[in-house]
Each structure stands twice: as structure tokens, then as C-alpha cells.
Amino acid sequence: MNIENKLLKLSSLEGLVLKLNQDGKQVFAPVKKDNIVNFAPVSAFHEMTQDYIVTARSAKFVVFPRVETILEMQFSKDNITLKDKDLSSIPDAVLLGTRPCDAAGFKVLTSIFEGDYIDNIYVTRLKKTTIISISCNNYDAKCFCTSVNVHPGGTAGSDILLTRIDNDNFLAEIVTEKGKEIVNKFDTLFDIAPDVNKDSLVANVPVEFDLSAILGKIYPRFESDIWVEQSLRCIGCGTCAYVCPTCGCFDIQDVSDGHNGQRKRSWDSCGFDLFTLHSSGHNPRNTQSKRWRQRILHKFVYVPEQDNILGCVGCGRCSRACSVDMNLKEHLINLIGELTK
Amino acid sequence: MNEQNIYMPYLMRIETVRDEAPFVKTFRLKFINEEILNRFTFKTGQFGEYSAIGEGESTFCIASSPTLKGYIECTFRQTGKVTNALAMKGEDDVIGFRGPYGNFFPIHEWKNKNLLFIAGGIALPPLRSVIWNCLDLRNDYKDVTIIYGAKTVDELIYKHELKTWDERSDVKLVTTVDPGNETPEWKGKIGFVPTVLDEVAPSSENTVAIVCGPPIMIKYTFPVLEKLGFTSENIFTTLENRMKCGFGKCGRCNVGKVFVCKDGPVFTYKQLKELPQEY
Amino acid sequence: MDSIRKRARELLEKNTVKVVIGYGVGSDNTVRAIFVRRPEGVEELIFDETCVQNLAVYLLKNEIKQIGKLCIIANISALRTILQLASEHQIHEEELLCLSVTPNGELLEFTGFKDIENYISSCNRDLPDKESEMIKKLEKMSVDERWQFWMNHLSRCIKCYACRSACPMCYCTRCQVEYNQPQWITVEATLMGNFEWQITRTMHLAGRCVNCGECARACPEDIPINLLNYKTVLTVKEKYNISAGTNANIDSVMSSFESDDKENFIR
Ligand SMILES: Cc1cc2nc3c(=O)[nH]c(=O)nc-3n(C[C@H](O)[C@H](O)[C@H](O)COP(=O)(O)OP(=O)(O)OC[C@H]3O[C@@H](n4cnc5c(N)ncnc54)[C@H](O)[C@@H]3O)c2cc1C
Ligand code: SF4
Ligand code: SF4
Ligand code: SF4
Ligand code: SF4
Ligand code: FES
């Protein structure tokens, strides 16, 4: 659909959040707690903070929860019954205040969870979630969205994109039918859009490296020492994957008390030794450097080749969360340096 | 497959349990749901996710031939949580199965060729499926040779079928056990699989070799095959990497760019040579 | 700083060590671990009060051990870790060389574990003020309030085990959480499982924690899990008069016993 422009007053957001809640939708927005900003359910707009570059953790948990029951089981004396997940019990949700990189991140997750085996749990959650992003007018040294083809005012992945025009007003771009539904339902909150130059309203994040210098060129360096070199200080904690908006790797485990049980899918990370450990004790990725290589190659080689989409949206979360300062942007620039040597 | 939930297994009833070797069992499994029973098909080399429901899932190949209808078989070794839980099950018990997943042996491309099967230890199950598949289409193939070795006589699996193959005039079977582990009654060869292969020295002329075994056996078998004149595109094997989903989502089974669960588990040696050592 | 660089350069030039683990400038005005292997690289080394990371976590990392004999620039936490690791027979005197700087800027080069013991005995090993106060606050709470406090925090735990990876004393090749027969600790992050995990972690570190605070620093959910360990530091000190990381030959509190122990189940 063609993008339609509207005006949304800051003062109308209070009403919007209220009405969305009344409409039975769970609204998630960035909330500041102990000086850390993360997505949390809000019942009123004022609970949301405006003071954030990106949240510490990504918003992926709304569509890909850290633990999800994928089916249930019941055991009786001589019978086992499997119960499918009730997809209709998945609540409608609205994500308010995602950044364009967050929204773009959902596209990557979708490419993983769709494909030739469609994960209906993920698909349903996403379908039931409306993503109302807010363009960035600020950025920090860890952001590198523009270097990976994501734009701080980009609409990809959002249903509605809000861009701040001035203190009191947002430009609202209605990107999808889902976004339009919200606008139609609460049309009194939206006005006719003014004529503005959106580009002048969003942050000017500099491009810091040439992506084409990496794509297609790092895979041949699979055996290079650079992976060991770069990952010496990595302690293999896996945090980078847990905060990343595009990491979709998971584990499947059963939990049961002998009468009832659940099969659960939970977040996992290629940074862990256990991720690939066979029961024989053999491990194809038995060192941290091999696991670091997997992380980079998965995002910049494997995902792009399989799904025709880059596996990283440049939000910088991994680098902010890493307790030993593994800075992804810096490592990518360093990689380019090595590749062009 | 279940259209709704890709993680939902089919329920299967265990028809028979056979002890193959210490800690190795074969289950014959039948779909409980009639419709699925009639609809289910697979190709030789494919695998499934078998669940001890309430304990978890494990990856095994389908060890029976697709030419057999009405049931499938799997053979597994007890190595951990799920396999131990499965081993506690008996006839009439119910387990879960998802699949079939992965690619398969291109047996139609092998028509009018000689087939050389080489297996070591517990890795016979995937070969058993393709061996029987080819034997059921016996006229399509020329000579069939099977070289199978295990550490000890006890650890040779499918003993009953080894006997059947041995008795067939259209199959050449060579069995071997590791030096020092032969029993007084042992009539087969004594030696490691690669060495025995070198001794038997089957011709590579118009022949494809299908090799399954522990990594160390594979590593030493490939060079012998090359010495015998086999080209790398005529050598087939299967890979095992830790798996969870079976369909390219959980992210752990890849060898470089290639997902073992989707692009494998069957690979030619030629493909392996182009892949990094991540298996 | 200069003295550290000078000595590190000598050690690398003479091939006495193959790598110097130290601190360098990180991104956005932070400090990070660096691994210097060439003499000219020593110019990147820094050492000041912002160098808080406990670098001893790298002593047992395979890829680093493989480089060869190493020199570590150690802050107090790292020195204490080295003693504790020595107590647990994880490192040996001849494998590493230890440099440090006193608060007055004097270069220290330790000739052995004894030397480190002597220096540590003169250093302040108290818990940081902020944490001491928090523990006092927690002690004053009712059981319910305390339960509530930990429920609030641990409900956020995502079981990433960053706390474990960051801890220099969590070096088990196979951690308790990785055993699935039986499954001691549930795999997925649920409140109960998170409690199980933190209780296990705390107990396994009782008498071994050197209060460096790496666990809490690494936690992406900002859970003050170091408080659990710090409480055991106080308890172990009070009950057994033992402080981890003060001596290279300390018996493990949790796995040794004496005939006059209060618990008598072992007799
Ligand atoms: C394509 C393929 C075909 C296989 N075919 C057979 C077969 O026919 N017979 C047989 O005995 N074994 C086979 N295996 C190996 C078998 O999957 C493992 O031995 C088994 O999963 C161990 O599970 P566990 O829960 O008992 O062990 P645990 O050590 O408790 O394992 C816990 C988890 O680790 C994973 N895991 C551990 N080791 C392996 C491994 N080697 N490969 C894959 N996943 C692993 C499993 O997902 C399991 O959920 C195959 C593996 C693959 C990938
Ligand atoms: S967060 Fe940092 S230390 Fe942890 S695994 Fe990722 S890169 Fe390594
Ligand atoms: S890899 Fe890092 S920068 Fe890229 S999307 Fe993930 S968290 Fe963001
Ligand atoms: S392979 Fe690693 S980097 Fe890629 S999605 Fe999985 S956890 Fe993230
Ligand atoms: S680092 Fe924090 S979130 Fe991760 S396992 Fe430890 S307590 Fe839980
Ligand atoms: S088994 Fe999950 S990706 Fe291959």
C-alpha cells in the first residue's frame, strides 16, 4: 500500500495509549527503571520515557518470548495426549516507540521463522502486533544503522512511523494495512499532515564503513586468524545474542511432572559451548573464536545468502551490553582493514 | 506435516523393540493416526525428531527402507537424556515423531552402477535404509558390496540382517572387528575399516561409495577410496551435527553456509571438501 | 604507567613472556582488556583506577593459554583470584608473571604466590561501601520483604549465564546447569529455575568468591547478584575466618571438614 501521511499531536498520544489499552491491546513502550530503558507494558503514555536512543534489550520478546510453550502434553495411565498451542489466546499487542532499526529487525526474524517451514506461533504473534516506531533524532557512538542500510527515518518493518516535527507534533506515516486499521479506529486523534521535509527531521547518522567491502568477502577468510584475534577478550557470555533484535536461535526442551508437561522453546546463543556440543563430547565449534566467527558470518553471510536480508540492523545493542567491550562496529571496520590488506 | 504447528509431533506406537548391541535398540514404529499412516512417505537418508514425550527430542535417521509400508524403524544408542528415556519404553508404548526432514541419497542417479557401502559402528542405520532400498530395486544396480566394521563382535548391529546379506548371492558382505577384539568363533576380518577396505580393494569403475561412520573412520576412509580411484562426487556420506528443530530455524547445525538439517544430512565428499571443518 | 610499559616491553623483547594481558583504551572512553604480543604494543597499556575488570578471567581461557607464558597486569581483584585459583590448583607459579601498581604508582613485580599473599595482606579487601550498605539493608528486611526483593530481581533473569562466564572462579568445564541427567536446573528462564540457578551459583562460590563484582557487571538485566555472593563472603569470614584469595593454600570451605565442625552429619 502507498504510505499515507497524517499529523499526530503529542497530546493525542495520551489518548491513543489509553484507547489502545481499552481496546484490549497490550501496549509496550520504553520505560525507564533504575536508569535503564526497556520495553514494558504501559497503561498510560506518561509511563513511557522519551529519553532513550534505543532500549537496552530489543523488543523481540513481544513476538519471540524468551520462553514459549509450543505444545502441551497430558499423561494418563496408558495414554498420552498432545495439545496444540491455542493461537487464539495470543493477545493483541502494540509496540510503541520502537526505533526504525528495531522495526527492521523484525524483518530478519520473520525471514528466519517463515521460509519453507512456517512457524505459526511467531507469525501469529507478529500478525497480532502493531508496530508504531519513532524515528531517531539522536544517536550514539554505538549506532551504525546507516552503514548496514537501515535508516533512522526508515519505514521498513513499522506499521506506523512517527517522526517528531517539533515539541508538540509528530508526522505519522501509515505504512501498512495494520497501521491503517489503528488510524481508522481512532481517527479523531489524527489530523491532516503538514508539508514537511522528513529527512531534515531525523538524525544524520554517518556511514562508517562500506558494507560491500565485507559482504561476499569474509566467507573465504573462514580460516583466518582474525577471528581468534578479535575474540580474545570475549568471555562467551552470550549476552549479545540475548539483547539483539535479530537473533532468533532457540533451544527446545520438555518440562513435565509426570501428569502434565510442556514443550518449551527458549532463547539460545551461538556464543555458548553447549549450543553445538554433541553427546559424544565432540564439539564442532569448541572455541570462542569459532563461535565469534559464527556470529559474524551468520549475520553478514549466512542470513543474507539464505534470506536476501542483512542479519544486522546496526542498533549497537550487542556492543552496549557486552561487559568486555566487544564493539561490533569497530570489529567490522577492523575486518574491512584486514580484508583489504 | 502438521499445517498448524511445525513443532507438533505425530504419535507413534512402538510395535517391536529389538536389542541390537549393548545400549543399542531398534524400534519398529507405527503411526497411530490412520490417515497419517497412509499418507506418510519419506526418502532414504532422511531423518526425524523422535520424542520421549515429557523428556525431549532426539535426532535419528529413519533406519528402514521407504519400500516398506506401514511402519518405520529407528535404531539408536543410549547416550543421554532423551535416548535413555526412549530406552525405557517397551512395546505398545507411545512416542512422538516429527519428520521426515533433510535431503536423501540420490539412488535413482545410481542406476546401473555398482554400489559399495562402508559403515562403522552405530552408523549402520542410515546405510541400512539405503541398502534395503537398493536391494528392493535390485535389478537397477550391478554389484552390491557392504563393508561393515565395529569395535567388537558384540557391537555389530543388525546381526540378523548381516546374516541375510551374507547368505544372498547378489550381495558381497565383509564384516570386520577391531584387532584384539575377535572372538574364537569370529569368521570375519580383523582390522579397522579403512585397512580392510584397502585389502578388499573394490573397483571404483562405475561404482559409487556410500560411507557412514564415526568422524575418525570417515577421515581415514576417504583417502583409501581416492587411492582406489573413486572421485569425490561418487563418494557419499551423512553428517551429524547437534540439532533441535530439524528445519533450519534453531541455528546450531550449520557447517559454514550449509545447514545439515536442510541441505544435508547427505553430502558428497566433493561437497565436504568445499565446506569448512565445522562438523 | 610508564613503568608498566617499560617492564612489559622488556618481558616481550626478551621473550620471557609471549603475551601481556593488560588494560587499554576501549570504545567511548572506557577501558578494555588488551593482549599485547609485540614490544611496540606496550604503548597501548594503561593502568589507573578505572581499570576495574578482573583480568584473571582470561588466565584459564584456552586460546590465551595457547599463546604461551603470560604476564598479567593485575588489580587487587585479579591478584586475589590468582591466589584462589592457585589454592584450587588451576594455575601454577611458573605459568605466569604478575605485575601491578600500588596506589602511589609504584610498580610491583611478584616473584611468586607468597609475594602476592604478602601484598594482599596489606590491601583493603572490604566489600565496596555501596554493596555493604545494601547487604545491611537486606539483613534488616523481613523474610517476606527479602523474598519480594529477589523475586523482583530474579524474575528478570534470562538465564544467559553471563554472570557465570564473567566470573573468574566459574571455570568448570561442565557446569552444574549443563547436566541433564537429572536436570538439576531447568533450562528455560522461569522464576523457580532462576532461583535454582542463583542459589546453585552462590553455593558453588561460597568461600571462593573474591568479591570482584564481575558477575553483576556482566548481567544484562542489571540484577545485583553479587550481593548473594558478598553475603557469603561475610558469612564465611565470620564463621570460618576465611577470606578467599588471600592465600595460595586455602582449603575449600564447602568441601573440607574438621572434627569439631558444627555439622555432625559427616562424622
Ligand atoms: C541427522 C542425524 C541423524 C542421527 N541418527 C542417529 C541414529 O540413527 N542413531 C543414533 O543413535 N543417533 C543418531 N544421531 C545422534 C543422536 O541424535 C544423538 O545421539 C542424540 O540426540 C542424543 O540425545 P540425548 O538427548 O540422549 O543426549 P543428551 O546428551 O542428553 O543431549 C541433549 C540434546 O543434545 C542434542 N544432541 C546431543 N548429541 C547430539 C548429536 N550427536 N547429534 C545431534 N544432536 C545431539 C540433542 O538435541 C539433545 O536434545 C543422529 C544425529 C543426527 C544429527
Ligand atoms: S556479549 Fe561480549 S563477551 Fe559476551 S559473548 Fe557477546 S561478545 Fe562475547
Ligand atoms: S548484531 Fe548488534 S548491532 Fe547488529 S542487530 Fe544485533 S544487537 Fe544490533
Ligand atoms: S547464530 Fe548466533 S548470531 Fe546468528 S541468530 Fe543465532 S545466536 Fe544470533
Ligand atoms: S547474567 Fe543476569 S540474566 Fe544472565 S543468567 Fe546471570 S543473573 Fe541471569
Ligand atoms: S536443526 Fe535447527 S537449524 Fe538445523
Side-chain angles (χ1 to χ4, degrees):
Chain A
M1 92 174 228
N2 283 336
I3 295 183
E4 197 182 327
N5 286 354
K6 295 270 182 193
L7 178 87
L8 181 67
K9 292 202 175 68
L10 181 67
S11 54
S12 302
L13 272 168
E14 194 71 55
L16 185 64
V17 172
L18 214 63
K19 289 201 166 140
L20 287 170
N21 268 296
Q22 280 165 1
D23 200 38
K25 294 181 162 62
Q26 207 170 14
V27 182
F28 294 90
V31 170
K32 195 180 229 166
K33 203 178 150 208
D34 300 333
N35 257 324
I36 299 157
V37 180
N38 270 317
F39 284 96
V42 293
S43 47
F45 175 65
H46 63 257
E47 292 168 28
M48 171 177 166
T49 177
Q50 302 296 313
D51 176 27
Y52 68 103
I53 306 279
V54 289
T55 52
R57 267 172 283 141
S58 76
K60 73 176 169 194
F61 70 96
V62 174
V63 289
F64 175 39
R66 67 183 186 187
V67 188
E68 170 117 69
T69 298
I70 51 181
L71 57 97
E72 289 182 86
M73 36 213 161
Q74 271 165 0
F75 306 91
S76 63
K77 205 168 144 279
D78 40 26
N79 207 3
I80 296 180
T81 327
L82 294 179
K83 237 176 84 199
D84 203 345
K85 184 165 185 91
D86 176 14
L87 295 180
S88 65
S89 70
I90 292 174
D92 284 335
V94 173
L95 261 168
L96 174 64
T98 38
R99 295 303 187 192
C101 56
D102 293 320
F106 288 116
K107 295 233 154 201
V108 183
L109 283 182
T110 302
S111 76
I112 296 170
F113 285 108
E114 283 189 348
D116 39 7
Y117 285 84
I118 296 174
D119 184 319
N120 274 322
I121 304 173
Y122 171 88
V123 170
T124 309
R125 280 194 187 277
L126 186 65
K127 212 193 285 167
K128 290 192 177 189
T129 304
T130 308
I131 300 170
I132 308 181
S133 305
I134 302 180
S135 303
C136 303
N137 38 33
N138 222 337
Y139 67 97
D140 72 11
K142 300 269 166 48
C143 296
F144 59 94
C145 53
T146 48
S147 307
V148 288
N149 297 336
V150 174
H151 191 259
T155 54
S158 299
D159 296 307
I160 298 177
L161 177 68
L162 304 178
T163 303
R164 199 145 197 153
I165 302 172
D166 51 42
N167 274 340
D168 303 320
N169 298 291
F170 288 100
L171 167 73
E173 290 171 273
I174 322 303
V175 189
T176 65
E177 290 297 336
K178 229 193 301 177
K180 199 167 164 82
E181 249 173 66
I182 301 247
V183 177
N184 289 345
K185 211 164 191 170
F186 309 112
D187 56 348
T188 52
L189 299 173
F190 292 86
D191 292 319
I192 295 169
D195 200 13
V196 290
N197 175 3
K198 186 176 120 187
D199 283 345
S200 70
L201 300 172
V202 297
N204 194 355
V205 183
V207 177
E208 300 196 55
F209 56 85
D210 173 13
L211 189 61
S212 67
I214 301 182
L215 296 181
K217 301 200 175 75
I218 41 175
Y219 194 62
R221 298 296 189 94
F222 198 90
E223 301 296 346
S224 162
D225 283 344
I226 188 155
W227 310 112
V228 181
E229 204 54 42
Q230 290 200 338
S231 64
L232 276 179
R233 70 173 179 278
C234 168
I235 53 174
C237 68
T239 299
C240 40
Y242 282 55
V243 298
C244 174
T246 65
C247 278
C249 287
F250 58 83
D251 190 9
I252 302 177
Q253 295 276 344
D254 284 8
V255 195
S256 140
D257 64 6
H259 304 285
N260 292 294
Q262 297 93 37
R263 182 157 290 169
K264 294 183 173 185
R265 177 180 76 187
S266 50
W267 292 353
D268 210 338
S269 165
C270 65
F272 299 146
D273 171 65
L274 204 59
F275 194 62
T276 46
L277 181 71
H278 296 198
S279 11
S280 63
H282 172 69
N283 192 347
R285 292 201 275 271
N286 57 351
T287 58
Q288 204 54 43
S289 52
K290 292 179 186 166
R291 304 194 273 270
W292 171 252
R293 175 178 64 198
Q294 163 71 12
R295 181 166 181 83
I296 302 297
L297 293 184
H298 188 239
K299 298 230 172 285
F300 292 91
V301 179
Y302 309 157
V303 174
E305 287 199 4
Q306 271 171 18
D307 302 313
N308 207 8
I309 187 169
L310 198 69
C312 167
V313 294
C315 68
R317 281 191 176 86
C318 50
S319 317
R320 287 183 207 95
C322 178
S323 70
V324 298
D325 195 24
M326 292 282 283
N327 185 318
L328 181 57
K329 179 171 81 184
E330 187 191 313
H331 278 315
L332 291 171
I333 292 170
N334 168 265
L335 257 177
I336 293 176
E338 287 294 318
L339 290 173
T340 47
K341 242 183 208 170
Chain B
M1 219 40 257
N2 187 321
E3 287 77 18
Q4 280 298 309
N5 186 343
I6 48 174
Y7 305 100
M8 181 61 89
Y10 302 121
L11 292 179
M12 297 194 89
R13 197 170 294 285
I14 303 177
E15 287 203 311
T16 57
V17 178
R18 203 168 56 229
D19 283 313
E20 300 287 0
F23 301 107
V24 181
K25 282 186 161 63
T26 297
F27 284 173
R28 178 171 294 186
L29 302 162
K30 189 174 170 184
F31 291 101
I32 291 181
N33 182 310
E34 283 283 328
E35 193 210 321
I36 294 158
L37 174 71
N38 295 329
R39 197 180 58 189
F40 183 82
T41 57
F42 72 99
K43 294 202 167 100
T44 183
Q46 289 191 293
F47 66 92
E49 289 294 330
Y50 299 73
S51 41
I53 296 163
E55 293 293 333
E57 293 185 305
S58 240
T59 319
F60 313 132
C61 69
I62 304 177
S64 50
S65 163
T67 47
L68 294 172
K69 301 290 174 204
Y71 65 86
I72 59 168
E73 289 186 329
C74 69
T75 300
F76 62 95
R77 187 212 293 268
Q78 280 174 252
T79 56
K81 187 181 181 193
V82 179
T83 44
N84 282 338
L86 284 173
M88 304 281 285
K89 308 265 177 209
E91 277 165 26
D92 271 354
D93 282 345
V94 172
I95 70 164
F97 172 87
R98 298 190 279 127
Y101 299 127
N103 70 352
F104 42 84
F105 290 108
I107 55 168
H108 48 280
E109 289 169 17
W110 301 343
K111 266 194 188 158
N112 297 321
K113 293 193 177 184
N114 305 312
L115 306 178
L116 169 64
F117 298 99
I118 306 166
I122 167 74
L124 189 55
L127 283 200
R128 178 207 190 210
S129 171
V130 59
I131 291 172
W132 278 118
N133 199 348
C134 293
L135 290 182
D136 285 343
L137 306 166
R138 188 65 188 89
N139 292 337
D140 284 356
Y141 306 99
K142 299 224 155 91
D143 293 349
V144 172
T145 309
I146 304 169
I147 301 179
Y148 174 47
K151 263 203 202 93
T152 64
V153 180
D154 227 18
E155 285 174 53
L156 290 165
I157 61 170
Y158 303 134
K159 292 191 182 71
H160 181 73
E161 281 153 76
L162 292 177
K163 195 160 161 264
T164 313
W165 293 337
D166 201 22
E167 283 163 7
R168 279 178 75 142
S169 58
D170 58 353
V171 176
K172 179 175 177 193
L173 174 74
V174 182
T175 49
T176 177
V177 294
D178 286 1
N181 289 337
E182 64 277 14
T183 52
E185 305 81 49
W186 180 244
K187 296 206 176 57
K189 300 223 172 234
I190 298 163
F192 299 108
V193 171
T195 328
V196 171
L197 170 66
D198 205 13
E199 261 172 55
V200 177
S203 159
S204 57
E205 183 66 35
N206 192 32
T207 308
V208 290
I210 306 99
V211 193
C212 280
I216 185 83
M217 183 203 102
I218 303 241
K219 191 176 154 202
Y220 288 106
T221 302
F222 285 160
V224 179
L225 284 171
E226 286 194 308
K227 198 181 101 188
L228 292 172
F230 284 86
T231 53
S232 57
E233 64 267 30
N234 280 320
I235 306 175
F236 292 81
T237 188
T238 63
L239 288 187
E240 271 184 24
N241 259 4
R242 184 167 168 141
M243 293 185 179
K244 284 287 172 179
C245 66
F247 38 61
K249 300 204 190 299
C250 75
R252 71 199 63 227
C253 71
N254 65 303
V255 175
K257 286 180 190 179
V258 162
F259 278 82
V260 177
C261 63
K262 277 176 71 179
D263 309 310
V266 176
F267 293 93
T268 61
Y269 183 34
K270 183 165 192 246
Q271 288 171 305
L272 286 195
K273 278 183 163 174
E274 282 154 18
L275 287 177
Q277 266 291 329
E278 257 194 330
Y279 49 86
Chain C
M1 212 123 86
D2 284 344
S3 54
I4 278 205
R5 289 181 186 160
K6 186 159 160 271
R7 184 61 186 136
R9 179 185 283 276
E10 278 168 18
L11 290 170
L12 287 167
E13 271 170 356
K14 292 207 186 103
N15 226 347
T16 318
V17 300
K18 291 271 185 257
V19 55
V20 177
I21 309 175
Y23 301 94
V25 177
S27 35
D28 312 332
N29 300 319
T30 56
V31 171
R32 68 159 67 132
I34 58 171
F35 305 85
V36 184
R37 272 152 293 171
R38 279 184 299 273
E40 57 279 14
V42 301
E43 295 310 318
E44 289 175 35
L45 287 169
I46 55 171
F47 192 85
D48 57 32
E49 63 287 348
T50 61
C51 299
V52 287
Q53 192 195 348
N54 182 349
L55 298 184
V57 71
Y58 296 116
L59 293 177
L60 301 180
K61 185 173 169 174
N62 274 334
E63 283 128 314
I64 291 168
K65 282 207 290 200
Q66 273 161 19
I67 302 175
K69 179 154 177 170
L70 44 89
C71 165
I72 179 170
I73 298 180
N75 57 15
I76 307 271
S77 297
L79 290 172
R80 291 188 57 193
T81 307
I82 289 168
L83 291 181
Q84 189 59 30
L85 287 173
S87 275
E88 298 176 15
H89 313 292
Q90 296 302 314
I91 50 175
H92 306 284
E93 224 156 40
E94 63 284 0
E95 287 166 358
L96 83 165
L97 220 143
C98 233
L99 298 180
S100 192
V101 178
T102 64
N104 342 335
E106 186 193 331
L107 178 74
L108 295 172
E109 180 164 344
F110 299 97
T111 50
F113 294 151
K114 258 272 108 16
D115 218 14
I116 301 180
E117 285 170 14
N118 288 337
Y119 177 62
I120 286 295
S121 66
S122 69
C123 296
N124 176 10
R125 281 160 296 156
D126 291 344
L127 298 181
D129 292 345
K130 191 173 140 237
E131 277 82 1
S132 295
E133 263 164 49
M134 256 330 281
I135 290 177
K136 287 203 188 94
K137 243 167 102 186
L138 278 163
E139 283 167 346
K140 286 204 194 91
M141 287 181 189
S142 69
V143 172
D144 271 354
E145 284 170 336
R146 207 153 49 225
W147 182 248
Q148 209 53 53
F149 175 90
W150 285 113
M151 288 241 284
N152 273 340
H153 278 301
L154 290 183
S155 61
R156 297 202 306 277
C157 170
I158 49 178
K159 285 261 187 78
C160 63
Y161 300 127
C163 42
R164 176 186 68 177
S165 313
C167 174
M169 299 312 302
C170 272
Y171 54 71
C172 295
T173 30
R174 190 134 186 226
C175 170
Q176 180 95 357
V177 305
E178 281 157 14
Y179 282 93
N180 60 5
Q181 295 185 92
Q183 189 85 52
W184 292 103
I185 291 163
T186 53
V187 175
E188 81 286 3
T190 53
L191 189 56
M192 267 322 283
N194 297 350
F195 267 92
E196 286 165 359
W197 159 230
Q198 281 307 330
I199 291 168
T200 306
R201 199 183 68 83
T202 307
M203 291 313 282
H204 276 191
L205 287 160
R208 305 172 55 231
C209 169
V210 295
N211 53 276
C212 66
E214 285 302 328
C215 51
R217 221 169 287 132
C219 176
E221 296 292 324
D222 292 281
I223 305 175
I225 38 177
N226 54 339
L227 295 177
L228 294 167
N229 304 97
Y230 289 7
K231 173 68 184 168
T232 65
V233 168
L234 297 174
T235 312
V236 169
K237 173 82 185 147
E238 183 193 315
K239 303 266 193 237
Y240 303 95
N241 195 26
I242 287 180
S243 291
T246 52
N247 189 303
N249 292 296
I250 306 184
D251 277 342
S252 157
V253 175
M254 297 301 282
S255 57
S256 57
F257 69 97
E258 315 224 327
S259 51
D260 57 348
D261 269 354
K262 190 166 113 250
E263 312 303 343
N264 60 8
F265 62 89
I266 203 127
R267 269 177 248 153

